[in-house]
């Protein structure tokens, strides 16, 4: 569907000086149109491309024939698109006339006989759009304003933000886009919260600021990204076979000011999304050219400080963009985080009418202390913001280089992305304190070092089958991770042997150490067909292969190779639009990979969970399949309101995973079912004012009773522990009204079952954040963020498990303190204020 508008509406107030100005200008425009409407368009626009000028007049005797069809081609932000190909086709599809938009996005087509036609507008960076038009016998149609949105090469919707109409574009009710303006107007505590712009997604933290965030969506505690795929300019952020957790995704590498948009989709219905995409995916697209160069400094409570800058300029035939970020934060913790990070970015890009490329280098370095989660019985000992192990923390690095190239022909389009990066993490954690070894404690170290190379290539062919428009896309995605990681017993960040308090057995300093490769290859074929005027079908088949070659440096029996091939069919049906409303029905299969070390493991590593040497272990599957279905609706029937509603279901074959914390396997072997409802709304009653309200509710159940995740003495239940339930996100935003901007946001993270029997449950977490800013000069802006306005002491995250908080052993060799199974939590940060000063140039 093509978004067409003749102009923007306005709402004014009586008595406002601006009202008189707007009415005066509108009157003058109407008068000018009436008096000079018969003039050639060139006399009114003042600038046309050669192609447009050639079409301005058609000889009819000695008189000039007035242009019959004209308009302007823009993107979703309103910026004009030069060089767009504009075609008029007859009812049989034959091309009647062709032109291009000029440098002002303007086009004119004349000389067409009266009748019904289809207008087709295309550009290499945007989706080809069609609309019906009628040429009358007298007079010219009103000038069109044609907004292009989706690139045929994009994996996602490529529009400006949530206010844009995705009817005729999106494949589902839970596919969408959040733009840079919406991101910048949102108060955030940490960079990962950029992803909370995705309706229903929760971002939390249970340790120091430099550790990867924990994600919740669609009935999942996604850990650090196990079933949620994240991409930065098509380069995957998730890390398979990670030392800490499968699919680990560290959003600390993201600089929010450089994010042009976040494109998202949910469910296993999209051919170009493979590993980790079962619950959903997010694609962060960075600017290639900044709207304005800028420098920004921030400061606030708890030792917070940040500086960031960005510059883009012409270089040769292309554009050069560079920028960086320096960050420091202690947080409210008794033992300060002292989180220090540096991010850098360098991009060179060049884009023409049909061809373009970009090369981007990124760098990240972070170092921090960590106040990990503590049990509720430890709060009287160390305080709500205290720690039981002040030596926890870590440091991490990620340096990447990627290149992208695209080409569009008359009936085809291609895009190739190649990338490589180096990654390093050294992480020290302590979650059970003195449960295993009351003398030396339970701290452990996880180390991950890897080199990664990958390729993402796709080719699209546009054609017609039996008179119906068809788009076929073929894709290939390959990546290889060369990994060296390990798990170690530690005390004060030093590797040491320990003693298990229950058995007296020695726990060696090196629990697990491996060198291995994780090779993933995916291919897909997707067909989009417009079967009827109001029926679209998208059918796809995807295949994925995961192959591991593992060398254990501790237990040779755990070395070996493993692999698995998985096919995933997908189907999307789109009906409508009727009354500006579309209906969606989807079904599909997907998967997430498991840690490669578990696929070849035959001997359980010696740890606090398994203090016995030579314990046999069962290999875990390389890929865990999922399948799901969804019905949804998207409507813009009510003016100024975008609304979507979806009912979904997802089945996972197993919750079994390799544990980076123990080296063994965790979670249930049983399948699980998840289902829920999502309702998202975006309302823009005025040009500068927006309201949003998003509600999601999910339920996650095992297919059988789960004893392993139950409270002590309980037979267990079917509830999946820590699965997210109710999520509410709502806000009101005033953007750039006479220099003022403001935002007030509410986020409700509902209660969750912490054990399979529901005996232990978390409370709800409610946060109210605000931001206010003022443009004091055309180049200067000041702003303030007010985080946790209600100063609530809720939990950022909750668990329930056994731990011991008092160290030491009696003369008889028994631990001094008892072990307790209870709720374990990490608190949200208290009320704080942050100030910012920004200058553009």
């Amino acid at each position: 569907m093509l978004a067409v508008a003749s102009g923007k509406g306005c709402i004014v107030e009586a008595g406002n000086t601006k009202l008189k100005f707007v009415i005066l200008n509108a009157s003058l425009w109407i008068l000018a149109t009436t008096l000079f409407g018969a003039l050639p368009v060139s006399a009114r626009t003042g600038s046309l491309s050669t192609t447009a000028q050639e079409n301005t007049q058609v000889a009819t005797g000695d008189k000039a024939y007035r242009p019959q069809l004209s308009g302007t081609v823009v993107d979703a932000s309103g910026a004009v698109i030069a060089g767009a190909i504009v075609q008029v086709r007859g009812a049989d599809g034959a091309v009647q006339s062709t032109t291009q938009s000029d440098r002002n996005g303007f086009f004119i087509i004349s000389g067409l006989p009266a009748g019904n036609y289809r207008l087709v507008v295309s550009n290499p960076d945007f989706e080809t759009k069609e609309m019906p038009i009628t040429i009358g016998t007298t007079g010219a149609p009103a000038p069109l304003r044609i907004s292009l949105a989706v690139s045929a090469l994009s994996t996602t919707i490529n529009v400006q933000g949530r206010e844009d109409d995705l009817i005729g574009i999106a494949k589902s009710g839970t596919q969408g886009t959040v733009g840079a303006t919406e991101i910048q107007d949102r108060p955030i505590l940490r960079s990962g919260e950029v992803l909370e712009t995705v309706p229903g997604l929760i971002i939390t933290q249970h340790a120091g600021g430099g550790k990867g965030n924990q994600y919740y969506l669609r009935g999942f505690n996604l850990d650090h990204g196990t079933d949620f795929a994240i991409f930065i300019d098509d380069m995957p952020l998730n890390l398979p076979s990670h030392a800490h957790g499968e699919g680990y995704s560290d959003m600390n590498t993201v600089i929010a000011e450089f994010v042009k948009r976040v494109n998202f989709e949910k469910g296993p219905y999209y051919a170009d999304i493979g590993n980790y995409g079962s619950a959903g995916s997010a694609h962060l697209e960075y600017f290639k050219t900044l709207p304005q160069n800028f420098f920004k400094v921030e400061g606030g409570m708890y030792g917070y400080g940040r500086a960031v800058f960005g510059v883009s300029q012409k270089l040769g035939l292309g554009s050069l963009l560079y920028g960086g970020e320096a960050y420091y934060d202690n947080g409210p913790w008794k033992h300060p985080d002292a989180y220090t990070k540096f991010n850098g970015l360098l991009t060179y890009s060049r884009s023409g009418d049909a061809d373009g490329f970009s090369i981007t280098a990124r760098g990240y370095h972070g170092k921090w202390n960590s106040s990990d989660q503590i049990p509720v019985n430890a709060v009287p000992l160390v305080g709500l913001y205290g720690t039981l192990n002040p030596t926890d923390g870590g440091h991490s690095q990620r340096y990447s280089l990627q290149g992208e190239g695209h080409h569009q022909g008359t009936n085809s389009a291609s895009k190739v992305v190649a990338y490589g990066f180096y990654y390093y993490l050294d992480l020290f954690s302590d979650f059970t304190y003195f449960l295993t070894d009351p003398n030396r404690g339970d701290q452990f170290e996880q180390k991950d070092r890897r080199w990664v190379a990958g390729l993402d290539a796709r080719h699209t062919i546009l054609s017609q089958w039996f008179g119906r428009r068809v788009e076929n896309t073929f894709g290939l995605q390959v990546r290889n991770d060369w990994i060296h990681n390990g798990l170690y017993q530690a005390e004060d960040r030093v590797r040491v042997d320990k003693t298990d308090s229950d058995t007296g057995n020695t726990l060696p300093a090196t629990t697990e150490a491996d060198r291995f490769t994780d090779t993933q290859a995916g291919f897909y074929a997707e067909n989009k067909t417009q079967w009827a005027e109001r029926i679209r079908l998208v059918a796809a088949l995807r295949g994925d292969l995961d192959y591991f070659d593992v060398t254990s440096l501790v237990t040779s029996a755990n070395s070996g190779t493993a692999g698995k091939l998985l096919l995933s069919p997908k189907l999307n049906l789109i009906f409508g639009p009727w009354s500006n409303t579309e209906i969606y029905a989807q079904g599909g299969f997907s998967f997430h990979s498991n840690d490669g070390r578990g696929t070849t493991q035959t001997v359980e590593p010696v740890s606090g969970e398994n203090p016995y040497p030579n314990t046999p272990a069962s290999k875990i599957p390389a890929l865990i399949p999922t399948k799901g279905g969804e019905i949804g609706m998207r409507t813009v029937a009510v003016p100024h309101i975008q609304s979507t509603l979806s009912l979904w279901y997802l089945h996972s074959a197993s919750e079994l995973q390799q544990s980076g914390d123990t080296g063994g396997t965790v979670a249930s072997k049983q399948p699980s079912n998840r289902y829920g409802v999502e309702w998202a709304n975006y309302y823009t009653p005025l040009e500068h004012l927006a309201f949003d309200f998003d509600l999601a509710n999910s339920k996650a159940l095992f297919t059988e009773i789960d004893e392993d995740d139950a409270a002590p003495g309980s037979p267990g239940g079917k509830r999946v522990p820590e699965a997210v339930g109710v999520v509410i996100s709502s806000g009101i935003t005033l953007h750039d009204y006479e220099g003022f901007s403001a935002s007030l946001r509410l986020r409700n993270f509902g209660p969750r079952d912490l054990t399979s029997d529901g005996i232990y449950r978390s409370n709800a977490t409610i946060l109210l954040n605000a931001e206010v800013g003022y443009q004091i000069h055309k180049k200067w802006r000041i702003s303030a963020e007010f985080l946790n306005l209600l100063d609530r002491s809720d939990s950022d995250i909750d668990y329930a498990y056994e731990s011991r908080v008092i160290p030491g052993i009696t003369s008889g060799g028994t631990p001094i303190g008892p072990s307790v199974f209870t709720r374990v939590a990490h608190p949200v940060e208290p009320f704080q204020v942050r100030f910012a000063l920004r200058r553009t140039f």
Side-chain angles (χ1 to χ4, degrees), residues 328-613:
Y328 184 86
D329 187 27
N330 282 325
W333 320 108
K334 286 187 176 180
H335 181 63
D337 268 7
Y339 178 35
T340 305
K341 75 171 178 177
F342 300 95
N343 272 307
L345 172 72
L346 177 65
T347 297
Y348 180 77
S349 61
R350 192 169 77 186
S351 183
D353 291 341
D355 302 279
F357 71 89
S358 66
I359 301 174
T360 301
R362 293 182 175 90
Y364 162 76
H365 177 87
K367 185 178 181 181
W368 65 95
N369 300 319
S370 180
S371 295
D372 288 349
Q373 72 261 21
I374 59 174
V376 293
N377 61 313
V379 173
L381 301 176
V382 299
L384 183 63
Y385 303 105
T387 179
L388 289 167
N389 193 333
T391 65
D392 290 344
H395 62 278
S396 182
Q397 303 173 45
R398 180 168 173 145
Y399 303 99
S400 66
L401 179 66
Q402 69 183 105
E404 173 269 335
H406 61 266
H407 169 77
Q408 180 161 327
T410 304
N411 295 304
S412 66
S414 302
K415 184 176 183 180
V416 178
V417 176
Y419 58 87
F421 62 85
Y422 169 78
Y423 171 83
Y424 176 85
L425 172 71
D426 195 9
L427 179 66
F428 294 87
S429 307
D430 191 347
F431 302 144
T432 53
Y433 327 111
F434 301 98
L435 179 65
T436 300
D437 190 329
N439 285 326
R440 288 188 157 176
D442 297 350
Q443 187 182 74
F444 57 94
E445 176 189 7
Q446 292 161 310
K447 198 166 188 176
D448 191 297
R449 180 188 293 112
R450 69 180 66 205
W451 291 91
V452 181
L455 176 75
D456 185 340
R458 69 199 76 168
H459 180 67
T460 299
I461 302 171
L462 307 175
S463 60
Q464 286 197 356
W465 290 357
F466 307 105
R468 293 179 172 87
R469 290 180 290 114
V470 174
E471 180 178 316
N472 290 301
T473 299
F474 304 92
L476 174 67
Q477 297 164 340
V478 180
R479 71 177 284 178
N480 196 87
D481 293 51
W482 294 269
I483 306 168
H484 180 197
N485 58 21
L487 173 64
Y488 310 94
Q489 300 289 345
E491 181 183 17
D492 297 336
R493 299 199 185 193
V494 177
R495 297 174 190 174
V496 295
D497 291 340
K498 293 184 180 179
T499 302
D500 177 62
S501 61
D502 289 336
T503 64
N505 291 345
T506 297
L507 307 181
T510 300
T511 304
E512 190 174 32
D514 303 89
R515 291 183 184 272
F516 60 105
T517 57
D518 186 341
T519 303
Q520 299 181 3
F523 60 90
Y524 62 89
E526 180 185 71
N527 171 266
K528 299 179 183 178
T529 304
Q530 188 79 38
W531 284 103
E533 183 179 356
R534 288 186 171 87
I535 300 177
R536 288 186 288 139
L537 181 145
V538 182
L541 178 65
R542 181 181 178 94
D544 287 273
L545 172 68
D546 206 342
Y547 178 80
F548 305 99
D549 188 348
V550 180
T551 300
S552 173
L553 305 179
V554 175
T555 306
S556 59
N558 287 339
S559 299
T561 61
K564 186 172 183 178
L565 174 66
L566 196 65
L567 295 179
S568 304
K570 304 165 190 286
L571 182 66
N572 297 262
L573 288 168
I574 304 97
F575 305 95
W578 296 281
S579 302
N580 293 320
T581 301
E582 274 189 338
I583 306 297
Y584 308 95
Q586 290 88 31
F589 292 74
S590 188
F591 69 97
H592 73 248
S593 63
N594 254 327
D595 193 313
R597 296 171 293 178
T599 64
T600 62
Q601 189 177 91
T602 58
V603 177
E604 191 87 4
V606 178
S607 68
E609 291 289 324
N610 173 59
Y612 306 101

